[in-house]
Amino acid sequence: MIRVKLFDYEHEKDLEREMNAFLKRIDEDQLIDIKYNIAAMQEEDEDQIYCFSAMVIYRG
């Protein structure tokens, strides 16, 4: 069965840490692909907001 695992964090280091923890739990031959995305948004009178997300496609 093909499955996906979604990750979504405001900081890239959080995304990296959680993805690495997940990838340690699956065998390398289970991994099919990883899709990565960054979104940025500027709110009025506030700092820029970032969203770092990824989708791991794997056999589970």
mmCIF file of all heavy atoms in Angstrom, residues 7-42:
data_model
loop_
_atom_site.group_PDB
_atom_site.id
_atom_site.type_symbol
_atom_site.label_atom_id
_atom_site.label_comp_id
_atom_site.label_asym_id
_atom_site.label_seq_id
_atom_site.Cartn_x
_atom_site.Cartn_y
_atom_site.Cartn_z
ATOM 1 N N PHE A 7 4.066 16.894 6.725
ATOM 2 C CA PHE A 7 4.768 17.682 7.734
ATOM 3 C C PHE A 7 4.525 19.155 7.419
ATOM 4 O O PHE A 7 4.551 19.552 6.257
ATOM 5 C CB PHE A 7 6.276 17.414 7.678
ATOM 6 C CG PHE A 7 6.642 15.983 7.945
ATOM 7 C CD1 PHE A 7 6.692 15.067 6.913
ATOM 8 C CD2 PHE A 7 6.948 15.565 9.228
ATOM 9 C CE1 PHE A 7 7.047 13.745 7.154
ATOM 10 C CE2 PHE A 7 7.300 14.248 9.477
ATOM 11 C CZ PHE A 7 7.346 13.337 8.436
ATOM 12 N N ASP A 8 4.324 19.973 8.471
ATOM 13 C CA ASP A 8 4.058 21.396 8.272
ATOM 14 C C ASP A 8 4.564 22.157 9.504
ATOM 15 O O ASP A 8 4.055 21.948 10.604
ATOM 16 C CB ASP A 8 2.556 21.621 8.081
ATOM 17 C CG ASP A 8 2.211 23.055 7.819
ATOM 18 O OD1 ASP A 8 2.987 23.742 7.124
ATOM 19 O OD2 ASP A 8 1.154 23.510 8.295
ATOM 20 N N TYR A 9 5.571 23.008 9.307
ATOM 21 C CA TYR A 9 6.189 23.727 10.416
ATOM 22 C C TYR A 9 6.519 25.162 10.017
ATOM 23 O O TYR A 9 6.719 25.455 8.848
ATOM 24 C CB TYR A 9 7.482 23.020 10.865
ATOM 25 C CG TYR A 9 7.188 21.682 11.506
ATOM 26 C CD1 TYR A 9 7.202 20.526 10.746
ATOM 27 C CD2 TYR A 9 6.862 21.603 12.845
ATOM 28 C CE1 TYR A 9 6.893 19.297 11.319
ATOM 29 C CE2 TYR A 9 6.564 20.386 13.430
ATOM 30 C CZ TYR A 9 6.578 19.244 12.666
ATOM 31 O OH TYR A 9 6.275 18.035 13.234
ATOM 32 N N GLU A 10 6.614 26.033 11.026
ATOM 33 C CA GLU A 10 6.967 27.428 10.783
ATOM 34 C C GLU A 10 8.477 27.626 10.663
ATOM 35 O O GLU A 10 8.922 28.647 10.157
ATOM 36 C CB GLU A 10 6.434 28.310 11.910
ATOM 37 C CG GLU A 10 4.926 28.441 11.896
ATOM 38 C CD GLU A 10 4.424 29.347 13.002
ATOM 39 O OE1 GLU A 10 5.193 30.213 13.467
ATOM 40 O OE2 GLU A 10 3.257 29.187 13.383
ATOM 41 N N HIS A 11 9.252 26.672 11.152
ATOM 42 C CA HIS A 11 10.706 26.777 11.122
ATOM 43 C C HIS A 11 11.291 25.574 10.395
ATOM 44 O O HIS A 11 10.889 24.437 10.636
ATOM 45 C CB HIS A 11 11.274 26.868 12.538
ATOM 46 C CG HIS A 11 10.737 28.040 13.302
ATOM 47 N ND1 HIS A 11 11.164 29.323 13.057
ATOM 48 C CD2 HIS A 11 9.788 28.126 14.258
ATOM 49 C CE1 HIS A 11 10.502 30.152 13.849
ATOM 50 N NE2 HIS A 11 9.660 29.447 14.581
ATOM 51 N N GLU A 12 12.249 25.836 9.528
ATOM 52 C CA GLU A 12 12.834 24.760 8.715
ATOM 53 C C GLU A 12 13.556 23.714 9.564
ATOM 54 O O GLU A 12 13.560 22.531 9.230
ATOM 55 C CB GLU A 12 13.750 25.316 7.626
ATOM 56 C CG GLU A 12 14.988 26.023 8.118
ATOM 57 C CD GLU A 12 14.822 27.503 8.400
ATOM 58 O OE1 GLU A 12 13.705 27.980 8.645
ATOM 59 O OE2 GLU A 12 15.856 28.195 8.397
ATOM 60 N N LYS A 13 14.140 24.115 10.675
ATOM 61 C CA LYS A 13 14.833 23.155 11.547
ATOM 62 C C LYS A 13 13.848 22.175 12.185
ATOM 63 O O LYS A 13 14.156 21.000 12.383
ATOM 64 C CB LYS A 13 15.644 23.867 12.628
ATOM 65 C CG LYS A 13 16.839 24.608 12.091
ATOM 66 C CD LYS A 13 17.855 23.636 11.546
ATOM 67 C CE LYS A 13 19.094 24.376 11.085
ATOM 68 N NZ LYS A 13 20.074 23.503 10.467
ATOM 69 N N ASP A 14 12.642 22.647 12.525
ATOM 70 C CA ASP A 14 11.614 21.755 13.058
ATOM 71 C C ASP A 14 11.205 20.719 12.011
ATOM 72 O O ASP A 14 11.048 19.537 12.319
ATOM 73 C CB ASP A 14 10.378 22.539 13.506
ATOM 74 C CG ASP A 14 10.666 23.456 14.678
ATOM 75 O OD1 ASP A 14 11.595 23.160 15.459
ATOM 76 O OD2 ASP A 14 9.962 24.474 14.807
ATOM 77 N N LEU A 15 11.027 21.182 10.789
ATOM 78 C CA LEU A 15 10.679 20.274 9.694
ATOM 79 C C LEU A 15 11.777 19.237 9.498
ATOM 80 O O LEU A 15 11.501 18.034 9.395
ATOM 81 C CB LEU A 15 10.450 21.063 8.401
ATOM 82 C CG LEU A 15 10.149 20.228 7.155
ATOM 83 C CD1 LEU A 15 8.822 19.516 7.277
ATOM 84 C CD2 LEU A 15 10.183 21.106 5.914
ATOM 85 N N GLU A 16 12.996 19.682 9.469
ATOM 86 C CA GLU A 16 14.132 18.777 9.275
ATOM 87 C C GLU A 16 14.202 17.718 10.379
ATOM 88 O O GLU A 16 14.357 16.526 10.105
ATOM 89 C CB GLU A 16 15.427 19.594 9.259
ATOM 90 C CG GLU A 16 16.673 18.781 9.062
ATOM 91 C CD GLU A 16 17.926 19.644 9.060
ATOM 92 O OE1 GLU A 16 17.814 20.889 9.024
ATOM 93 O OE2 GLU A 16 19.015 19.064 9.104
ATOM 94 N N ARG A 17 14.051 18.150 11.622
ATOM 95 C CA ARG A 17 14.125 17.225 12.754
ATOM 96 C C ARG A 17 13.023 16.164 12.683
ATOM 97 O O ARG A 17 13.275 14.966 12.832
ATOM 98 C CB ARG A 17 14.033 18.006 14.071
ATOM 99 C CG ARG A 17 14.156 17.134 15.311
ATOM 100 C CD ARG A 17 14.014 17.909 16.615
ATOM 101 N NE ARG A 17 12.722 18.596 16.703
ATOM 102 C CZ ARG A 17 12.561 19.915 16.605
ATOM 103 N NH1 ARG A 17 13.603 20.712 16.418
ATOM 104 N NH2 ARG A 17 11.368 20.460 16.691
ATOM 105 N N GLU A 18 11.801 16.585 12.425
ATOM 106 C CA GLU A 18 10.680 15.645 12.397
ATOM 107 C C GLU A 18 10.741 14.699 11.193
ATOM 108 O O GLU A 18 10.418 13.517 11.306
ATOM 109 C CB GLU A 18 9.354 16.401 12.407
ATOM 110 C CG GLU A 18 9.107 17.155 13.690
ATOM 111 C CD GLU A 18 9.094 16.258 14.916
ATOM 112 O OE1 GLU A 18 8.519 15.148 14.868
ATOM 113 O OE2 GLU A 18 9.682 16.664 15.936
ATOM 114 N N MET A 19 11.170 15.214 10.050
ATOM 115 C CA MET A 19 11.298 14.349 8.876
ATOM 116 C C MET A 19 12.396 13.315 9.095
ATOM 117 O O MET A 19 12.217 12.138 8.749
ATOM 118 C CB MET A 19 11.576 15.171 7.619
ATOM 119 C CG MET A 19 10.356 15.916 7.132
ATOM 120 S SD MET A 19 10.651 16.731 5.565
ATOM 121 C CE MET A 19 10.815 15.327 4.476
ATOM 122 N N ASN A 20 13.531 13.720 9.649
ATOM 123 C CA ASN A 20 14.610 12.772 9.906
ATOM 124 C C ASN A 20 14.173 11.685 10.894
ATOM 125 O O ASN A 20 14.514 10.517 10.721
ATOM 126 C CB ASN A 20 15.863 13.486 10.408
ATOM 127 C CG ASN A 20 16.616 14.159 9.284
ATOM 128 O OD1 ASN A 20 16.589 13.724 8.144
ATOM 129 N ND2 ASN A 20 17.289 15.244 9.607
ATOM 130 N N ALA A 21 13.411 12.064 11.902
ATOM 131 C CA ALA A 21 12.908 11.081 12.866
ATOM 132 C C ALA A 21 11.984 10.082 12.172
ATOM 133 O O ALA A 21 12.059 8.876 12.426
ATOM 134 C CB ALA A 21 12.179 11.787 14.005
ATOM 135 N N PHE A 22 11.116 10.572 11.294
ATOM 136 C CA PHE A 22 10.214 9.675 10.571
ATOM 137 C C PHE A 22 10.984 8.764 9.622
ATOM 138 O O PHE A 22 10.731 7.557 9.554
ATOM 139 C CB PHE A 22 9.168 10.478 9.779
ATOM 140 C CG PHE A 22 8.297 9.610 8.926
ATOM 141 C CD1 PHE A 22 7.287 8.860 9.489
ATOM 142 C CD2 PHE A 22 8.502 9.534 7.562
ATOM 143 C CE1 PHE A 22 6.488 8.036 8.696
ATOM 144 C CE2 PHE A 22 7.717 8.720 6.759
ATOM 145 C CZ PHE A 22 6.707 7.976 7.334
ATOM 146 N N LEU A 23 11.935 9.332 8.882
ATOM 147 C CA LEU A 23 12.683 8.539 7.896
ATOM 148 C C LEU A 23 13.524 7.442 8.558
ATOM 149 O O LEU A 23 13.774 6.408 7.944
ATOM 150 C CB LEU A 23 13.554 9.454 7.041
ATOM 151 C CG LEU A 23 12.784 10.374 6.091
ATOM 152 C CD1 LEU A 23 13.713 11.393 5.459
ATOM 153 C CD2 LEU A 23 12.040 9.572 5.025
ATOM 154 N N LYS A 24 13.920 7.640 9.808
ATOM 155 C CA LYS A 24 14.646 6.596 10.533
ATOM 156 C C LYS A 24 13.759 5.380 10.801
ATOM 157 O O LYS A 24 14.261 4.279 10.964
ATOM 158 C CB LYS A 24 15.174 7.132 11.862
ATOM 159 C CG LYS A 24 16.372 8.017 11.736
ATOM 160 C CD LYS A 24 16.834 8.461 13.117
ATOM 161 C CE LYS A 24 17.990 9.432 12.989
ATOM 162 N NZ LYS A 24 18.419 9.930 14.311
ATOM 163 N N ARG A 25 12.429 5.603 10.852
ATOM 164 C CA ARG A 25 11.506 4.522 11.184
ATOM 165 C C ARG A 25 11.107 3.676 9.981
ATOM 166 O O ARG A 25 10.467 2.637 10.164
ATOM 167 C CB ARG A 25 10.252 5.092 11.852
ATOM 168 C CG ARG A 25 10.532 5.741 13.186
ATOM 169 C CD ARG A 25 9.270 6.009 13.978
ATOM 170 N NE ARG A 25 8.261 6.754 13.247
ATOM 171 C CZ ARG A 25 8.020 8.062 13.376
ATOM 172 N NH1 ARG A 25 8.752 8.785 14.200
ATOM 173 N NH2 ARG A 25 7.076 8.650 12.692
ATOM 174 N N ILE A 26 11.414 4.124 8.760
ATOM 175 C CA ILE A 26 11.073 3.326 7.589
ATOM 176 C C ILE A 26 12.347 2.853 6.908
ATOM 177 O O ILE A 26 13.401 3.467 7.048
ATOM 178 C CB ILE A 26 10.169 4.099 6.593
ATOM 179 C CG1 ILE A 26 10.889 5.283 5.972
ATOM 180 C CG2 ILE A 26 8.866 4.531 7.258
ATOM 181 C CD1 ILE A 26 10.128 5.937 4.825
ATOM 182 N N ASP A 27 12.231 1.747 6.195
ATOM 183 C CA ASP A 27 13.366 1.235 5.427
ATOM 184 C C ASP A 27 13.573 2.088 4.186
ATOM 185 O O ASP A 27 12.612 2.620 3.615
ATOM 186 C CB ASP A 27 13.133 -0.209 4.998
ATOM 187 C CG ASP A 27 13.123 -1.174 6.171
ATOM 188 O OD1 ASP A 27 13.830 -0.903 7.164
ATOM 189 O OD2 ASP A 27 12.409 -2.185 6.086
ATOM 190 N N GLU A 28 14.810 2.182 3.763
ATOM 191 C CA GLU A 28 15.144 3.000 2.597
ATOM 192 C C GLU A 28 14.383 2.550 1.353
ATOM 193 O O GLU A 28 13.970 3.374 0.540
ATOM 194 C CB GLU A 28 16.646 2.944 2.349
ATOM 195 C CG GLU A 28 17.129 3.941 1.320
ATOM 196 C CD GLU A 28 18.644 3.972 1.204
ATOM 197 O OE1 GLU A 28 19.326 3.782 2.216
ATOM 198 O OE2 GLU A 28 19.121 4.200 0.082
ATOM 199 N N ASP A 29 14.151 1.243 1.205
ATOM 200 C CA ASP A 29 13.446 0.750 0.016
ATOM 201 C C ASP A 29 11.951 1.059 0.057
ATOM 202 O O ASP A 29 11.260 0.929 -0.956
ATOM 203 C CB ASP A 29 13.692 -0.740 -0.196
ATOM 204 C CG ASP A 29 13.205 -1.600 0.949
ATOM 205 O OD1 ASP A 29 13.090 -1.095 2.086
ATOM 206 O OD2 ASP A 29 12.941 -2.796 0.710
ATOM 207 N N GLN A 30 11.423 1.512 1.196
ATOM 208 C CA GLN A 30 10.023 1.924 1.286
ATOM 209 C C GLN A 30 9.809 3.335 0.723
ATOM 210 O O GLN A 30 8.708 3.673 0.309
ATOM 211 C CB GLN A 30 9.543 1.910 2.740
ATOM 212 C CG GLN A 30 9.374 0.543 3.334
ATOM 213 C CD GLN A 30 8.916 0.655 4.768
ATOM 214 O OE1 GLN A 30 9.735 0.814 5.668
ATOM 215 N NE2 GLN A 30 7.622 0.603 4.976
ATOM 216 N N LEU A 31 10.844 4.151 0.739
ATOM 217 C CA LEU A 31 10.738 5.542 0.310
ATOM 218 C C LEU A 31 10.528 5.633 -1.197
ATOM 219 O O LEU A 31 11.278 5.061 -1.973
ATOM 220 C CB LEU A 31 11.995 6.315 0.701
ATOM 221 C CG LEU A 31 12.020 7.802 0.350
ATOM 222 C CD1 LEU A 31 10.910 8.548 1.079
ATOM 223 C CD2 LEU A 31 13.374 8.391 0.673
ATOM 224 N N ILE A 32 9.496 6.358 -1.602
ATOM 225 C CA ILE A 32 9.212 6.572 -3.018
ATOM 226 C C ILE A 32 9.643 7.965 -3.446
ATOM 227 O O ILE A 32 10.364 8.137 -4.420
ATOM 228 C CB ILE A 32 7.712 6.357 -3.326
ATOM 229 C CG1 ILE A 32 7.338 4.896 -3.023
ATOM 230 C CG2 ILE A 32 7.391 6.731 -4.766
ATOM 231 C CD1 ILE A 32 5.854 4.626 -3.108
ATOM 232 N N ASP A 33 9.204 8.991 -2.699
ATOM 233 C CA ASP A 33 9.506 10.369 -3.087
ATOM 234 C C ASP A 33 9.272 11.299 -1.902
ATOM 235 O O ASP A 33 8.557 10.958 -0.966
ATOM 236 C CB ASP A 33 8.620 10.788 -4.261
ATOM 237 C CG ASP A 33 9.144 11.998 -5.023
ATOM 238 O OD1 ASP A 33 10.245 12.488 -4.693
ATOM 239 O OD2 ASP A 33 8.461 12.439 -5.948
ATOM 240 N N ILE A 34 9.861 12.492 -1.983
ATOM 241 C CA ILE A 34 9.619 13.553 -1.010
ATOM 242 C C ILE A 34 9.323 14.830 -1.791
ATOM 243 O O ILE A 34 10.079 15.218 -2.673
ATOM 244 C CB ILE A 34 10.840 13.781 -0.092
ATOM 245 C CG1 ILE A 34 11.120 12.534 0.738
ATOM 246 C CG2 ILE A 34 10.604 14.994 0.813
ATOM 247 C CD1 ILE A 34 12.375 12.617 1.581
ATOM 248 N N LYS A 35 8.214 15.458 -1.473
ATOM 249 C CA LYS A 35 7.825 16.744 -2.067
ATOM 250 C C LYS A 35 7.988 17.812 -0.996
ATOM 251 O O LYS A 35 7.558 17.634 0.139
ATOM 252 C CB LYS A 35 6.366 16.715 -2.542
ATOM 253 C CG LYS A 35 6.034 15.594 -3.499
ATOM 254 C CD LYS A 35 6.743 15.767 -4.795
ATOM 255 C CE LYS A 35 6.304 14.681 -5.771
ATOM 256 N NZ LYS A 35 7.045 14.710 -7.001
ATOM 257 N N TYR A 36 8.595 18.928 -1.365
ATOM 258 C CA TYR A 36 8.933 19.986 -0.410
ATOM 259 C C TYR A 36 8.363 21.311 -0.897
ATOM 260 O O TYR A 36 8.363 21.589 -2.099
ATOM 261 C CB TYR A 36 10.459 20.052 -0.290
ATOM 262 C CG TYR A 36 10.983 21.139 0.594
ATOM 263 C CD1 TYR A 36 10.838 21.073 1.965
ATOM 264 C CD2 TYR A 36 11.654 22.231 0.055
ATOM 265 C CE1 TYR A 36 11.341 22.079 2.791
ATOM 266 C CE2 TYR A 36 12.153 23.235 0.862
ATOM 267 C CZ TYR A 36 12.000 23.143 2.230
ATOM 268 O OH TYR A 36 12.496 24.132 3.029
ATOM 269 N N ASN A 37 7.891 22.137 0.036
ATOM 270 C CA ASN A 37 7.309 23.417 -0.347
ATOM 271 C C ASN A 37 7.592 24.468 0.735
ATOM 272 O O ASN A 37 7.618 24.157 1.912
ATOM 273 C CB ASN A 37 5.795 23.272 -0.530
ATOM 274 C CG ASN A 37 5.183 24.506 -1.132
ATOM 275 O OD1 ASN A 37 5.610 24.973 -2.172
ATOM 276 N ND2 ASN A 37 4.167 25.038 -0.479
ATOM 277 N N ILE A 38 7.786 25.702 0.288
ATOM 278 C CA ILE A 38 7.912 26.844 1.191
ATOM 279 C C ILE A 38 6.881 27.889 0.767
ATOM 280 O O ILE A 38 6.772 28.202 -0.414
ATOM 281 C CB ILE A 38 9.312 27.489 1.120
ATOM 282 C CG1 ILE A 38 10.391 26.502 1.495
ATOM 283 C CG2 ILE A 38 9.374 28.705 2.029
ATOM 284 C CD1 ILE A 38 11.788 27.033 1.260
ATOM 285 N N ALA A 39 6.143 28.397 1.747
ATOM 286 C CA ALA A 39 5.204 29.480 1.485
ATOM 287 C C ALA A 39 5.563 30.643 2.410
ATOM 288 O O ALA A 39 5.941 30.433 3.563
ATOM 289 C CB ALA A 39 3.772 29.024 1.744
ATOM 290 N N ALA A 40 5.447 31.859 1.895
ATOM 291 C CA ALA A 40 5.726 33.050 2.695
ATOM 292 C C ALA A 40 4.574 34.028 2.532
ATOM 293 O O ALA A 40 4.016 34.173 1.448
ATOM 294 C CB ALA A 40 7.026 33.695 2.250
ATOM 295 N N MET A 41 4.227 34.680 3.646
ATOM 296 C CA MET A 41 3.125 35.622 3.615
ATOM 297 C C MET A 41 3.471 36.817 4.495
ATOM 298 O O MET A 41 4.010 36.652 5.592
ATOM 299 C CB MET A 41 1.858 34.933 4.140
ATOM 300 C CG MET A 41 0.644 35.824 4.142
ATOM 301 S SD MET A 41 -0.847 34.955 4.671
ATOM 302 C CE MET A 41 -0.500 34.719 6.396
ATOM 303 N N GLN A 42 3.188 37.987 4.008
ATOM 304 C CA GLN A 42 3.418 39.211 4.767
ATOM 305 C C GLN A 42 2.077 39.721 5.266
ATOM 306 O O GLN A 42 1.196 40.054 4.475
ATOM 307 C CB GLN A 42 4.084 40.268 3.883
ATOM 308 C CG GLN A 42 4.368 41.566 4.582
ATOM 309 C CD GLN A 42 5.538 41.441 5.532
ATOM 310 O OE1 GLN A 42 6.535 40.812 5.213
ATOM 311 N NE2 GLN A 42 5.430 42.034 6.696
#
